[in-house]
Amino acid sequence: LTIIAMGKFGGREITYGADLDVLFVGEESGSAQKLLATLSQASAEGSLSRLDARLRPDGEKGTLVCTIETFDAYYRSRAQPWELQALSRARPITGTRQDDFLAMAQAAWRRAGESPDLELNIDNMLERIRRERGSGSEFLDFKTGTGGIIEAEFLVQTLQMRSKLWEPNWSEAVTILGTAGRLSKLESDELKQAYSFLRRCESVLRRYDNNSVSTMPADPNQQLLLSHRLGEETVERFHEKYSTARGTIHEIYLHHMKPVR
């Protein structure tokens, strides 16, 4: 069994309360099923992170374990644009077919980066995420909202795909894009700073009860507590930094993605 880390697991960016996104590559599903069952068992010390294998071909309806040939055929003919974009963070972690899978995945990812509709497809996916996963409050949605975490990630992945610059880690990808001239030095620095601030907000919120959180609390008292946990003396100062971070991300996003509209 070969296991491929995906998402923030693939990018080595796991935070509190996160699932571990994986793909299973092989000939039979017994080992993968046993692994999923073993990791789901609670112990006296608590539970391990949950493995999520839904990024496989055809999602939950698809076979849990697929061969390299199955992945290749799927990425060539039936994969959605977002599934090819998701390969930006593919990172083999164990198994005999690691190199084979990575070579196949990178080839599919580079082909997707040549699509004339790349920016449009990614921008449309971002809008869909906002509609389907947003809380209804733009200000509170630090992950899905305008200038949020996902917008920063989609921007960088788009530039990576266009430039054929492979790097699963978001921060390292920004550095590489800056070195290649796809982002200016100022854009790289500001983007990293803004993204880091939002990820800190996410980590502090998730650490509080070790649960997946994608929005700020609406309760002013909880926002004040969040401000203090982030080291800010006042909630007003926190709001200022928070709004500046999201505004910075969105401005850079529009600069590089505005032709799609």
Side-chain angles (χ1 to χ4, degrees):
L1 183 69
T2 294
I3 303 176
I4 312 298
M6 300 288 286
K8 288 186 172 62
F9 184 26
R12 294 187 173 93
E13 302 166 50
I14 285 295
T15 188
Y16 298 91
D19 292 340
L20 305 182
D21 292 317
V22 296
L23 296 175
F24 294 121
V25 184
E27 301 289 340
E28 53 85 29
S29 62
S31 296
Q33 291 173 340
K34 183 176 180 180
L35 178 62
L36 290 172
T38 301
L39 290 181
S40 67
Q41 296 176 5
S43 72
E45 289 77 25
S47 301
L48 293 170
S49 297
R50 188 176 74 93
L51 291 185
D52 187 342
R54 290 177 295 176
L55 288 176
R56 63 186 183 267
D58 295 315
E60 291 180 289
K61 297 179 181 179
T63 305
L64 179 61
V65 180
C66 298
T67 64
I68 293 278
E69 293 73 24
T70 298
F71 276 106
D72 188 30
Y74 182 77
Y75 290 143
R76 287 180 181 275
S77 61
R78 295 190 291 118
Q80 297 296 313
W82 69 265
E83 293 177 291
L84 298 170
Q85 176 193 347
L87 292 173
S88 299
R89 284 181 161 170
R91 177 174 62 88
I93 55 176
T94 188
T96 59
R97 302 299 303 275
Q98 296 181 57
D99 292 342
D100 295 333
F101 180 90
L102 189 58
M104 179 276 300
Q106 287 178 339
W109 180 82
R110 292 190 179 100
R111 288 194 302 270
E114 297 172 354
S115 169
D117 297 326
L118 176 66
E119 290 84 359
L120 179 62
N121 288 333
I122 290 180
D123 191 63
N124 286 341
M125 176 55 62
L126 181 59
E127 291 300 322
R128 179 180 172 184
I129 288 172
R130 286 176 181 150
R131 290 194 306 270
E132 297 180 355
R133 293 167 52 183
S135 69
S137 171
E138 176 69 23
F139 179 75
L140 299 180
D141 290 339
F142 63 80
K143 186 169 185 177
T144 62
T146 301
I149 289 173
I150 292 180
E151 186 171 296
E153 293 170 349
F154 278 22
L155 165 63
V156 170
Q157 289 167 5
T158 303
L159 296 177
Q160 283 183 266
M161 293 175 77
R162 276 293 184 216
S163 307
K164 294 182 171 59
L165 296 172
W166 179 273
E167 171 52 58
N169 179 269
W170 185 90
S171 182
E172 290 299 320
V174 173
T175 298
I176 291 171
L177 288 168
T179 301
R182 292 307 307 268
L183 289 169
S184 69
K185 177 65 164 58
L186 180 61
E187 286 177 325
S188 297
D189 291 345
E190 289 185 341
L191 196 57
K192 283 184 179 182
Q193 184 175 5
Y195 182 77
S196 176
F197 182 81
L198 295 183
R199 288 300 305 274
R200 280 186 61 221
C201 294
E202 178 185 55
S203 291
V204 169
L205 286 168
R206 290 185 171 197
R207 187 173 63 220
Y208 185 66
D209 55 3
N210 195 32
N211 196 12
S212 179
V213 177
S214 301
T215 61
M216 268 213 303
D219 184 351
N221 291 326
Q222 291 298 317
Q223 290 186 20
L224 178 61
L225 289 174
L226 172 60
S227 304
H228 291 166
R229 293 186 188 115
L230 288 165
E232 302 296 337
E233 294 182 0
T234 66
V235 70
E236 291 78 16
R237 178 57 177 158
F238 162 67
H239 284 170
E240 180 183 349
K241 286 188 175 182
Y242 175 79
S243 298
T244 297
R246 291 185 57 176
T248 296
I249 290 171
H250 192 55
E251 181 179 354
I252 298 173
Y253 181 89
L254 289 177
H255 177 69
H256 291 277
M257 301 285 283
K258 61 184 178 182
V260 304
R261 292 292 183 187

